[in-house]
Amino acid sequence: MNVIYRDCEKTKGVYSMTLIGMLHHRKDPKTVIKSYAYAVVAKAEGANFIYFTPGGVNFVNSTIRGKLYENGNWIERIMPFPDVIYNAGSPEKLAKSKEIIKKLKEKIPFTTNSIGNKWSVHERLKEAKEFSNYLIPTEVVKDTEGLFKFITAFKKIVFKPIDGRKGQGIFFISKKGDVFHVVKDSDSQHYSKQRLSALISEKISSETHIIQPYIQSLTKSGQVFDFRLHVQKNGEGKWVITTIYPRIAPMGSIIANINNGGYTNYLDPFLEQEFKENAFNIKRTLEHFSLSLANHLDELQMIQYGEVIDEIGIDIGLDQNHKIWIYEVNWRPGCPPAFYLELDVVIHTIQYAMYLAKHQNTIKAKINALKKKSIEEKQDIPIIAITGSAGKTTSKAFLASILSKKWNIFESKDYWNTTEHTKKHAAEINESHQAIVLEYGMAYPGVITEHCRIIKPNISIVTNVGLAHVGNFNDDIKGVAHAKSELIHGMDQKGVLFINKDDPNSKYLETKKFKGKIITTGIKSTADYRAYQIKYAENGMNFKMKLRGEEITLFIPILGEHHVYNALNAIAVADYLGFTAMEIKAGLLFRKPPRRMTIYNCRDNITVIDDTVHSHPQGVRAAIDVLTNIGKRRNIAIIGQMRELGGLREEEYRKVGEYVINKKIDILITYGFRTNEIGSQAKTKGFSPENVYHFTNRDELHELLLKLVKKGDTLLVKGASKTNMFDTVKFLDQTFN
């Protein structure tokens, strides 16, 4: 006959004992070694303890069929629902009982609640300025192209499964020349791009993987190490340090995890050996960091889920400047592998379980207070508007990509920049958005004023003032500047304005009465944010700049110096908003707007550059620069119409013709009404007449290209969307693919 045990206060009327339940997926506690320790410590601490599985839960009469440890044996008993539950089973194996566990959580407090996998923890920490600075930029690998961009930007990267444990499945990848060096465990191999692409494709097809820059901590002897920070809550509900210890990889290995051959050491002698006079300060830093991070994650859990957590293991590295970098956070770290600390871990868990059972009202009050405080502390979110004659969409795409590394943002779609689009955006923005990034286009006076009436920005960017739409302003660049200045007048007058110091026409912007802060960007001029040492790289640009006194090297996956200006706009705003250099570097690996310097690699080493969204004199010259910088053999420029230039059209066409003369252009082809002015001026200035062609019929243009294009040629197709120049790009891609 089964005996139903009741709380001692109810059965004996003498004293009250907390009943702690250990939930596990295994039926037999004898197969779970730690169950003995928890049962014994619970008894020593004055608590009852029952081991059970989801199958032993009876919601009808609120009882648990489980096992008690008595006199050296596990005895089956039926007990009332426990006062608190320690969830010790495998989340994967308990998943089939999720409905039972969900119902239990509604009735009984759990000491242990999941904070998620590596990715979800990373996403949570991004929201806090204090701890986002310690995060290594992390991306989910969606395709091999994204991985190769990451390698180009960071040189050495880590590729690993999102739910990996114990150092399994980690690849370290670096590039030298055209060869990729790949290390897994102690195995080191060299891969071609094609072979590595096949490996990555295979991995991501079966399991979600993430990539990070590889930040390495090395001992004086050259061995890789990291630190495990193990923290728990105690019997007063406060976070305490269970242990901090280094893990050192064997010589030649780059994984310090114990399961991969790594070994541990005591903290104090390790720090003294490796850091000498800095040992004490580093130890205090590690202690402060571990407790601060635990408190922060606990508060996030309370605010977002109304739950508490009791134990985490934090793996961190120290770079050469002794800066902390978070490798990963585990919510069920297990016992430290050495130092006889198993009992400490168990004692903290049992004592905290008893605290949790007796202080539910206190904890619920704290959760409600934190939620209220979180709502009250929400500040005005950044509302960022971008206008300019060129670079609006690309600047927006760069900035949105960077901000999304930490925040949930609203970004206007690809080329949606009319006032009707802004009205739609206003209806779509909601409380979940932490930043708004919009593009404000205009072709006439008053348009940007209307944009600002619909959504008033507090941060604005004017990329430049150029000749786009100048025909609608009596051919006067000052009229264009006046219309762009509507953004300055219509934004929050105590906000922040970013302008291009190198753009000569930006001097006409009306900034004198603006009461906010003005920040400048540039390449040629001294500016608040200045790029230098700009170089063409594989499918992008490398450049350097200083951020907060530190020189950094950056990469953008789009060709052309003009796009470095667009990147500078995004970098300046992100830095102003507190984003780290690492977050900015990762964010610059953006999703490039379609038909903006898109490269088609065709057969016979033929390259086609698609830049067929907008066309104005400044953009045409920038596109020609790209062609001359990346062309391998013959360079062929196919230039379409530039619209809304008004009475300046012929003059600007002739200027483009003159510009071609000093560039490495072998064949010049123009298409569309009056574009022959470009070729005529080029010939006047000395361009070979037999290499200049003009068409107003697209089929005839394509017939010429069939005869003209040879192996190794690089072709630029440049023109406005309304002239349908993209049809020529499609023709070339289909013909030479």
Side-chain angles (χ1 to χ4, degrees), residues 464-522:
N464 46 48
V465 178
L467 296 176
H469 310 300
V470 70
N472 300 330
F473 295 91
N474 298 318
D475 304 340
D476 185 1
I477 194 66
K478 292 180 181 178
V480 178
H482 179 69
K484 299 295 182 190
S485 297
E486 292 175 15
L487 180 60
I488 302 171
H489 304 316
M491 69 179 288
D492 181 343
Q493 290 303 289
K494 293 183 180 179
V496 186
L497 172 66
F498 294 80
I499 58 175
N500 184 343
K501 190 80 174 290
D502 288 349
D503 176 43
N505 296 323
S506 287
K507 66 187 177 186
Y508 300 124
L509 290 170
E510 297 158 9
T511 60
K512 288 184 179 179
K513 294 183 180 180
F514 180 65
K515 297 177 181 177
K517 185 173 185 177
I518 298 176
I519 295 174
T520 59
T521 60

Side-chain angles (χ1 to χ4, degrees), residues 134-341:
Y134 302 103
L135 288 175
I136 302 173
T138 303
E139 302 282 340
V140 171
V141 183
K142 297 177 181 176
D143 51 43
T144 56
E145 181 185 354
L147 180 132
F148 287 119
K149 283 182 184 177
F150 214 77
I151 295 174
T152 302
F154 290 103
K155 312 307 178 189
K156 294 181 179 181
I157 70 163
V158 180
F159 172 77
K160 58 185 177 182
I162 198 169
D163 287 314
R165 291 179 62 83
K166 299 181 179 179
Q168 299 296 313
I170 300 177
F171 292 82
F172 297 85
I173 306 171
S174 58
K175 183 184 179 186
K176 191 169 184 179
D178 295 328
V179 177
F180 295 87
H181 185 219
V182 180
V183 178
K184 183 179 184 293
D185 300 328
S186 57
D187 180 47
S188 175
Q189 294 188 40
H190 289 94
Y191 280 67
S192 65
K193 185 174 183 178
Q194 184 177 8
R195 186 180 168 211
L196 179 57
S197 181
L199 172 67
I200 300 302
S201 297
E202 177 191 347
K203 293 293 180 184
I204 63 177
S205 66
S206 59
E207 186 179 4
T208 303
H209 281 68
I210 56 177
I211 46 177
Q212 298 175 320
Y214 178 36
I215 295 174
Q216 194 175 52
S217 303
L218 289 175
T219 66
K220 291 177 180 177
S221 61
Q223 290 172 274
V224 171
F225 75 91
D226 63 21
F227 291 103
R228 164 58 65 91
L229 318 176
H230 192 138
V231 288
Q232 293 179 271
K233 281 184 180 169
N234 64 9
E236 298 177 357
K238 296 178 180 178
W239 286 100
V240 293
I241 298 168
T242 305
T243 183
I244 297 175
Y245 58 93
R247 302 182 299 187
I248 302 101
M251 188 64 75
S253 173
I254 52 178
I255 300 179
N257 194 287
I258 306 302
N259 295 85
N260 287 275
Y263 61 92
T264 63
N265 197 348
Y266 288 98
L267 181 64
D268 288 337
F270 178 82
L271 292 178
E272 288 168 10
Q273 175 184 309
E274 297 298 329
F275 301 102
K276 300 295 184 185
E277 64 274 6
N278 291 317
F280 179 82
N281 289 337
I282 290 174
K283 181 180 179 181
R284 290 291 174 265
T285 299
L286 295 177
E287 290 172 342
H288 174 75
F289 179 82
S290 59
L291 293 174
S292 298
L293 181 59
N295 273 300
H296 173 69
L297 284 173
D298 197 25
E299 289 186 358
L300 280 180
Q301 192 83 3
M302 287 189 256
I303 292 167
Q304 295 178 8
Y305 301 100
E307 300 174 341
V308 291
I309 56 177
D310 68 330
E311 180 181 19
I312 57 172
I314 312 157
D315 296 338
I316 66 154
L318 288 182
D319 65 19
Q320 64 271 23
N321 299 315
H322 300 167
K323 179 181 177 354
I324 291 175
W325 292 99
I326 299 172
Y327 291 152
E328 60 187 57
V329 180
N330 301 285
W331 64 278
R332 295 177 53 154
C335 292
F339 319 123
Y340 309 103
L341 290 166

